[in-house]
Amino acid sequence: MEYYGIESYSDAQVKKLGLVGLSGLGKIVSSGTKSSIYDIITERIIEIIQSNDNLVWRKSWTTNKEGQPNFPMNYSSKLNYQGFNGYFIKWQMVAIKHDCPYFMTYKQVTEKGGNIKGC
């Protein structure tokens, strides 16, 4: 199975291919490449920068009524995402011009009776 260009294997497939212990953050993410997740993220950031003709700085975020940035937050808990996850989601929000700061996990969506439509 492939998600956004990254191959994904079930636990059984990982065992069958002899990749046990070689997957996870900073390790092999597919048998076809030796790229780490860090390389994939770095390449994506470079692609975003290179695809923009006008790199003049401008405020690219929206703010709430208190003037605080609309940083990505969990819809259920109303807590901001922390560390790299928050910044990575924010970069994606800017790239697709997405203003709403609220996000939910798959589990939270299904618990509220919703479902996720595949890409």
Side-chain angles (χ1 to χ4, degrees), residues 57-91:
W57 186 88
R58 61 190 166 278
K59 180 180 146 190
S60 60
W61 59 89
T62 55
T63 56
N64 60 23
K65 60 185 175 183
E66 289 83 30
Q68 298 297 318
N70 280 338
F71 201 72
M73 67 176 67
N74 184 282
Y75 180 81
S76 297
S77 69
K78 304 296 188 258
L79 295 173
N80 285 346
Y81 285 94
Q82 299 293 309
F84 183 78
N85 286 345
Y87 288 106
F88 188 71
I89 294 169
K90 186 62 181 179
W91 291 332

Side-chain angles (χ1 to χ4, degrees), residues 18-92:
L19 299 174
V20 176
L22 297 177
S23 62
L25 194 58
K27 306 261 178 39
I28 295 172
V29 293
S30 74
S31 63
T33 68
K34 300 252 184 202
S35 297
S36 72
I37 192 69
Y38 301 111
D39 295 334
I40 293 167
I41 292 169
T42 301
E43 288 171 16
R44 178 68 181 126
I45 292 168
I46 291 169
E47 285 173 16
I48 291 169
I49 292 170
Q50 290 176 340
S51 68
N52 287 300
D53 294 332
N54 183 5
L55 292 178
V56 176
W57 186 88
R58 61 190 166 278
K59 180 180 146 190
S60 60
W61 59 89
T62 55
T63 56
N64 60 23
K65 60 185 175 183
E66 289 83 30
Q68 298 297 318
N70 280 338
F71 201 72
M73 67 176 67
N74 184 282
Y75 180 81
S76 297
S77 69
K78 304 296 188 258
L79 295 173
N80 285 346
Y81 285 94
Q82 299 293 309
F84 183 78
N85 286 345
Y87 288 106
F88 188 71
I89 294 169
K90 186 62 181 179
W91 291 332
Q92 297 305 312

